[in-house]
Amino acid sequence: MHANNASDRCEPNLVPILDMVFQLITFFMLVINFKAASVDRELELPVIGTAAPTLAEEDSDLLVLNLRSDGKVRVRGELVNDPVSFISIESRTIRQINGIATGKPLPVRVVLRGDRTISTRSVMNLVDACRNSGFNKFDFFVVRSATQGKNP
Amino acid sequence: MAAMLDMAFQLLAFFILTFNPGEVEAQISLLLPLENPLQSGFSQSPSEAAAEMALESLAFPVEVEAYAGSTGDLVRIKLGDQEIASDEATIILETFSQKLANILSVPGFDTVHLRVEANMRYEIFLRILDRCVQQKLASGEPLTKISITQF
């Protein structure tokens, strides 16, 4: 006979639940997106049902330009007052860092995320400013269905 | 063990609250020539322009002009000498896509000069551009030479 002591109390086994919790933590750590600051979630991107996602070049840096419905440009989370000057400065900085001569195309891809309601004039002026500064690779971002395009 | 579990739940709550699933986005990728295209379809250095002129004399560019209404919607497309007009933009785009495919199926046509009215809505412009990017040449190669200007 053994005495009725504390070791006879039933204690739940926490190991499986801890294992499950670590599985969930690992999942969320892998899907966390630190680059969300460069993307303006308030934009309603154009709907192009036939557009297909393409693989970006692995060693290509990106310059994400968010063109809002009010015509302002947001880059890296900040509103830019003078996009043309900003693009020119960015181009000079990239040339200095990478030692690229003036007139040569830059290795940076320009990602244009524009609201669907803006005019072509706004976009083309921005595209022309980029081309004048040496950017010649462009990605126009869209969504493929009307239910997307704006985060709730 | 309970303390570790509590800590794990704290971490889990943090990641759940900061989890923001991104929408699936697609893209239309373009490689455009440098410098301002408003003066000409392909604006380059003088030597490159001369070379381009020589090539242009051999190639047959397809001229496309897209016109917008007062609201920025597509009202008609001029494809060479043909005019495509309708009350529905989708019908215009579908007709344009078919006619452009017919033209590009003829050997010798490998360039599209796309001119878009400046007040056209960006979404409509991209739809036109997407239709151009999807085209294939007579050789089976995808259409890659597209110049874009606004007027």
Side-chain angles (χ1 to χ4, degrees):
Chain A
M1 287 197 339
H2 51 80
N4 191 13
N5 54 23
S7 63
D8 291 338
R9 286 202 302 260
C10 288
E11 289 185 354
N13 186 6
L14 297 179
V15 173
I17 194 172
L18 189 62
D19 182 56
M20 194 64 208
V21 168
F22 276 126
Q23 294 280 341
L24 287 172
I25 288 174
T26 306
F27 167 75
F28 284 110
M29 283 176 65
L30 290 176
V31 299
I32 196 167
N33 181 11
F34 291 108
K35 291 190 176 179
S38 65
V39 172
D40 190 341
R41 296 284 184 179
E42 294 178 359
L43 293 179
E44 289 191 8
L45 295 180
V47 179
I48 311 288
T50 53
T54 54
L55 294 175
E57 297 171 9
E58 292 181 359
D59 56 351
S60 179
D61 290 330
L62 301 179
L63 173 62
V64 183
L65 303 176
N66 299 280
L67 194 48
R68 295 153 51 102
S69 57
D70 55 6
K72 295 181 181 171
V73 179
R74 187 187 289 271
V75 184
R76 299 185 191 111
E78 301 287 335
L79 278 177
V80 174
N81 292 327
D82 188 358
V84 177
S85 299
F86 172 83
I87 290 167
S88 179
I89 293 170
E90 194 76 13
S91 165
R92 280 203 298 272
T93 306
I94 294 170
R95 289 188 192 282
Q96 283 177 2
I97 292 173
N98 296 291
I100 302 171
T102 306
K104 296 291 182 186
L106 298 171
V108 174
R109 296 188 75 88
V110 176
V111 174
L112 271 167
R113 302 182 74 254
D115 194 275
R116 64 181 66 154
T117 59
I118 59 175
S119 67
T120 300
R121 180 185 295 112
S122 306
V123 175
M124 288 307 297
N125 289 344
L126 203 59
V127 169
D128 290 337
C130 291
R131 290 163 67 174
N132 287 337
S133 297
F135 297 99
N136 68 338
K137 300 174 189 174
F138 294 89
D139 288 335
F140 297 89
F141 268 42
V142 300
V143 290
R144 297 168 69 179
S145 71
T147 54
Q148 298 168 330
K150 190 167 187 177
N151 277 343
Chain B
M1 187 68 77
M4 187 191 295
L5 189 60
D6 181 60
M7 194 62 210
F9 273 125
Q10 295 282 339
L11 282 172
L12 186 61
F14 166 77
F15 284 115
I16 288 174
L17 290 173
T18 58
F19 181 56
N20 188 9
E23 57 208 17
V24 178
E25 295 179 350
Q27 62 197 55
I28 300 173
S29 297
L30 294 178
L31 180 65
L32 301 177
L34 297 179
E35 296 185 40
N36 196 321
L38 292 181
Q39 287 80 25
S40 64
F42 298 98
S43 178
Q44 302 120 325
S45 66
S47 57
E48 287 174 330
E52 188 67 33
M53 286 293 291
L55 284 175
E56 288 280 354
S57 64
L58 298 176
F60 300 99
V62 181
E63 302 287 341
V64 179
E65 290 181 358
Y67 295 85
S70 56
T71 58
D73 289 324
L74 179 65
V75 292
R76 65 188 172 102
I77 290 179
K78 197 175 171 190
L79 178 59
D81 296 330
Q82 303 178 59
E83 281 231 359
I84 306 167
S86 174
D87 293 332
E88 294 284 334
T90 49
I91 296 175
I92 298 175
L93 287 171
E94 197 56 46
T95 309
F96 163 69
S97 186
Q98 290 170 1
K99 289 184 183 290
L100 184 59
N102 290 339
I103 294 173
L104 293 176
S105 65
V106 176
F109 290 99
D110 64 350
T111 308
V112 171
H113 289 176
L114 177 60
R115 299 181 71 237
V116 180
E117 205 164 348
N119 67 328
M120 183 169 298
R121 269 194 299 128
Y122 174 50
E123 183 175 25
I124 306 296
F125 160 65
L126 282 187
R127 288 186 181 177
I128 299 171
L129 187 59
D130 182 55
R131 296 291 181 146
C132 294
V133 167
Q134 288 179 14
Q135 298 296 329
K136 291 203 185 306
L137 304 176
S139 58
E141 298 288 323
L143 173 66
T144 56
K145 294 183 183 176
I146 304 172
S147 76
I148 308 167
T149 54
Q150 57 175 331
F151 66 92

